[in-house]
Amino acid sequence: ICSFVCSPKGFPKLKNDAFLRAARGEETEHTPVWCMRQAGRYLPEFRETRAAQDFFATCRSPKLCCELTLQPLRRFPLDAAIIFSDILVVPQALGMEVVMVPGKGPTFTEPLKEVEDLLKLRQKVDVTAELGYVFQAITLTRHSLEGRVPLIGFSGAPWTLMSYMIEGGGSTTMSKAKSWLYRHPEASHQLLRLLADVITDYLVGQVAAGAQALQLFESHAGHLGPEQFQDFALPYIQDIAQAVKSKLKEEALPQVPMIIFAKDAHYALRDLAHAGYEVVGLDWTIRPQEARAQTGKDVTLQGNLDPCALYAPKEKIGELVKKMLEGFGTQRYIANLGHGLYPDMSPEHVGAFVEAVHAHSRQINKH
């Protein structure tokens, strides 16, 4: 393992680059497809691999992350792999303790309550020291993929991470985190800036380790209105794209396509299309034609089938996919769900989704 992990050069040649071509706006024979949370609990083999281990212990094991990343690709002809990890490894790198509580989800033992709590966070993070296990997982996985498909790296975006750090876990209202934006705008910006700097280094490190594309998850965008998004989310989303691109250049690393996925942020689609990302990810609450109209011709769109559509009979999944492809068009487009796969979904229905995207997009391209 060490020769892989210690020298990320000499990766196998990529055989299927449809996802990367679509991300860059080049022509593809079929529409590429992958699924958020494709490495997940809906797969029995995933549950088996995960059974013996604490969740974050799994995240810290390059070997297990590699295995979990590869599992869906053994079943389905997906066009991309996404490294198995979690967005909350970044708050951990800042010195916060996060545990996975069964039935409750990720929980911070000491969330940020007062502005003074910011002083407890590491102000300078050595990402290789704190998050090197993710880099090792990426390098190992990139070799183990043997060039089958590209590997996507990712991070949570600053506002989403900040909301977890203050709420101490999931929340339906994000009222504690949002109250900071109103009561402590300066401290909020201080925290968001710290997060943006760490995320930038983290994403650059992922590319150095072998990631061929990057996705930034602003999963809690829907809790902000247009004004707060404009003040507290968008500037950092833009800064990260710009800083990652310039650091990749400085370090003579490949310029990889970047995807921004801001869930429930249709009010900000125009801005996101100009935020410096090659791809804008969409949730299922917006019509394809409307998304195209708002984002223009210079970005690739990714999404956005309602994940619950996968509970439908297979024929119905095929019809919904066809309609989605007709709405987006087959080019400058990456098919995906509008959010992650749910644990009780049938792997066969996930397979039906992937195959329908390939079959219908080839059909449409012929005509």
Side-chain angles (χ1 to χ4, degrees), residues 16-328:
N16 169 5
D17 65 348
F19 164 81
L20 294 179
R21 279 187 288 136
R24 296 197 181 101
E26 297 163 19
E27 208 173 307
T28 58
E29 302 74 62
H30 68 269
T31 296
V33 55
W34 67 281
C35 299
M36 289 185 272
R37 288 205 210 115
Q38 62 190 29
R41 287 175 291 173
Y42 73 101
L43 291 176
E45 58 269 38
F46 177 96
R47 296 196 296 271
E48 208 174 297
T49 307
R50 277 272 303 103
Q53 279 273 31
D54 164 72
F55 178 79
F56 286 108
T58 304
C59 291
R60 286 189 287 273
S61 160
K63 208 172 152 194
L64 286 175
C65 290
C66 174
E67 167 58 24
L68 295 169
T69 303
L70 296 175
Q71 284 175 350
L73 295 158
R74 296 188 188 121
R75 278 188 184 249
F76 316 117
L78 294 153
D79 294 288
I82 182 163
I83 194 66
F84 177 80
S85 186
D86 193 85
I87 63 171
L88 298 182
V89 299
V90 171
Q92 288 176 334
L94 287 165
M96 295 187 82
E97 191 187 3
V98 192
V99 292
M100 196 57 84
V101 177
K104 189 183 170 195
T107 306
F108 286 72
T109 49
E110 288 180 46
L112 304 174
K113 288 195 171 79
E114 304 303 328
V115 169
E116 297 74 53
D117 292 342
L118 293 181
L119 299 171
K120 296 178 190 168
L121 299 175
R122 282 191 189 106
Q123 300 306 307
K124 276 269 169 264
V125 175
D126 175 344
V127 291
T128 308
E130 299 300 329
L131 296 165
Y133 58 88
V134 179
F135 303 156
Q136 290 175 7
I138 287 173
T139 302
L140 178 61
T141 306
R142 177 82 190 268
H143 282 288
S144 306
L145 275 167
E146 296 175 333
R148 202 179 334 172
V149 293
L151 179 60
I152 305 168
F154 70 90
S155 174
W159 155 248
T160 294
L161 295 179
M162 170 182 171
S163 61
Y164 274 115
M165 290 159 77
I166 293 171
E167 296 288 342
S171 157
T172 51
T173 60
M174 296 294 160
S175 59
K176 291 178 189 158
K178 284 181 75 176
S179 82
W180 271 54
L181 304 182
Y182 287 107
R183 286 167 41 225
H184 313 303
E186 279 175 34
S188 296
H189 280 299
Q190 197 188 325
L191 175 54
L192 291 162
R193 167 56 40 215
L194 174 62
L195 284 162
D197 291 345
V198 175
I199 291 162
T200 297
D201 290 344
Y202 180 42
L203 291 173
V204 170
Q206 291 186 46
V207 176
Q212 290 152 291
L214 297 168
Q215 177 154 312
L216 192 67
F217 284 88
E218 189 68 282
S219 313
H220 296 166
H223 291 280
L224 301 175
E227 280 175 34
Q228 282 191 316
F229 188 84
Q230 201 77 37
D231 287 349
F232 295 102
L234 187 66
Y236 299 99
I237 287 170
Q238 289 168 325
D239 286 358
I240 288 167
Q242 206 177 343
V244 167
K245 287 176 195 305
S246 74
K247 283 198 173 185
L248 290 175
K249 201 173 176 179
E250 271 167 41
E251 296 180 26
L253 289 164
Q255 289 289 339
V256 302
M258 294 179 72
I259 307 165
I260 175 65
F261 176 63
K263 188 172 180 293
D264 294 325
H266 3 100
Y267 56 78
L269 275 186
R270 282 174 207 280
D271 291 324
L272 290 167
H274 297 104
Y277 294 76
E278 285 72 21
V279 183
V280 175
L282 304 164
D283 60 64
W284 69 92
T285 60
I286 186 156
R287 289 192 176 88
Q289 295 85 339
E290 208 171 303
R292 278 279 182 221
Q294 288 193 44
T295 53
K297 292 189 169 65
D298 297 329
V299 295
T300 292
L301 295 179
Q302 174 177 283
N304 73 339
L305 192 72
D306 179 358
C308 291
L310 298 193
Y311 294 122
K314 289 184 198 172
E315 310 72 64
K316 179 70 177 165
I317 294 172
E319 287 166 33
L320 292 167
V321 165
K322 184 168 183 274
K323 193 178 168 197
M324 180 173 80
L325 285 161
E326 287 165 352
F328 281 109

